[in-house]
Amino acid sequence: MTYKSLTAALDHYRQNEWRADIVISTGDLVQDDSAGAYRHFCELLGELALPVYCVPGNHDVRAVMQEVLAQNQINYCKSIEHGNWLIAGIDSCVDGKAGGHIAATELDRLDSEIYGSGMQHVMVCLHHPPVQMNSKWLDSVGLANADEFLARVSAPGNVKLALFGHVHQPCETEHDGITILGTPSTCRQFTPGSDAFAVDDNPPAYRRVNLYADGRFEHKLIWVNDEPVF
Ligand SMILES: [Fe+2]
């Protein structure tokens, strides 16, 4: 199902005029822990002929993910400088746990990349939500040190955007001038505001983000509903 719905999302991108310079995947690339599943992901994304940047999610197996991505020239937790923006990918996962926690070493790496970059503006990408989702079960597997993360990204004054995955539903909020965006899955979506695990009938989705050299940005959530995929 995930293969089919990801294909539908990529087809939607190809069939429309908006064009990307890079692709960012905010984790949970596969469900079954297999190298074969990561190869499928690489095959599908490879068809776009664009640079792809990934961070791990709680369903990913870091070692397998890193190995297969490296074999396919796909970037893992790597930061890039692009058009006056630093785009930083960080690891928010904890082995064996659904919930996230960003290690001190990872927060320090983020700091050094932000302060060491010549880019004026910063977008940070991670898997777990740094904000509450007002969903009892999802908030029980959120980012344990969200406050610490938000304090770190607020301090430099040039972090404009934080993108996350994990929650399979849209989220658009703000913290201290930083726009925080959660993007639904390229597969099934979770019911917003639900106390317990529940999926809804929303289609796969992806988000278009335009970053401009003067620090402006635009974003648009795209539901892939041109054709039934489930
Ligand atoms: Fe997740």
Side-chain angles (χ1 to χ4, degrees), residues 26-28 57-59 98 127-128 165-168:
T26 50
D28 286 353
N58 51 295
H59 289 287
H127 182 66
H128 292 85
H166 192 54
V167 300
H168 296 236

Side-chain angles (χ1 to χ4, degrees), residues 3 10 14 42-50:
Y3 187 95
L10 296 173
R14 280 186 280 257
C42 293
E43 254 170 51
L44 290 178
L45 272 291
E47 290 168 5
L48 296 179
L50 289 169

